Amino acid sequence: QVQLVESGGGLVQPGGSLILSCAAPGFSLDDYHIAWFRQAPGKEREEVSHISKSGGTRYYVDSVRGRFTVSRDNAKNSAFLQMNDLKSDDTAVYYCAAVWSQLHDWGLPGAYDYWGQGTQVTVSS
């Protein structure tokens, strides 16, 4: 059973920054597109960003574009989400997900092959 592992979440003040990491122990991420989702209490899980296998294509949802940066290091078998200028609305559990196929709808959670357990990000003063 493949399990992705997120880390880097925590409590941060508005305007602060965090870097989330996604690792895949014993499993190669090279052949997978990687997405970051988040889920706030009482809300549906939403896609935040995704990055292609090579890293050449990146997407961001409007609410984070210009503040978040997705990246990957295939040599380190990891993906990252740099989050700057965090706002209270960014408070959620953040998940990384991996999918082998090119998707028509990247925002559909059921389309992904593997998930992590999530890491909590809380933005509060």
Side-chain angles (χ1 to χ4, degrees), residues 62-105:
D62 286 347
S63 60
V64 308
R65 189 173 293 117
R67 300 188 297 120
F68 290 12
T69 302
V70 64
S71 62
R72 66 188 300 160
D73 186 338
N74 287 341
K76 295 183 178 180
N77 203 36
S78 296
F80 307 95
L81 186 67
Q82 169 78 50
M83 305 187 295
N84 296 329
D85 190 22
L86 283 161
K87 307 178 187 301
S88 58
D89 287 347
D90 297 318
T91 295
V93 178
Y94 284 71
Y95 301 87
C96 63
V99 62
W100 186 85
S101 304
Q102 187 78 10
L103 300 179
H104 293 292
D105 184 352

Side-chain angles (χ1 to χ4, degrees), residues 3-122:
Q3 179 74 54
L4 307 181
V5 180
E6 301 96 338
S7 61
L11 173 64
V12 63
Q13 293 186 343
S17 298
L18 285 173
I19 302 175
L20 304 184
S21 299
C22 175
F27 173 75
S28 176
L29 286 177
D30 291 15
D31 293 330
Y32 290 80
H33 307 287
I34 301 296
W36 288 93
F37 283 75
R38 65 186 179 187
Q39 188 165 20
K43 295 188 177 181
E44 292 187 353
R45 191 169 297 191
E46 66 165 347
E47 185 202 1
V48 173
S49 177
H50 66 255
I51 185 168
S52 62
K53 296 177 185 181
S54 67
T57 300
R58 308 180 192 199
Y59 164 84
Y60 302 95
V61 69
D62 286 347
S63 60
V64 308
R65 189 173 293 117
R67 300 188 297 120
F68 290 12
T69 302
V70 64
S71 62
R72 66 188 300 160
D73 186 338
N74 287 341
K76 295 183 178 180
N77 203 36
S78 296
F80 307 95
L81 186 67
Q82 169 78 50
M83 305 187 295
N84 296 329
D85 190 22
L86 283 161
K87 307 178 187 301
S88 58
D89 287 347
D90 297 318
T91 295
V93 178
Y94 284 71
Y95 301 87
C96 63
V99 62
W100 186 85
S101 304
Q102 187 78 10
L103 300 179
H104 293 292
D105 184 352
W106 293 90
L108 190 64
Y112 289 80
D113 300 318
Y114 304 111
W115 286 86
Q117 81 290 348
T119 185
Q120 176 71 47
V121 171
T122 303

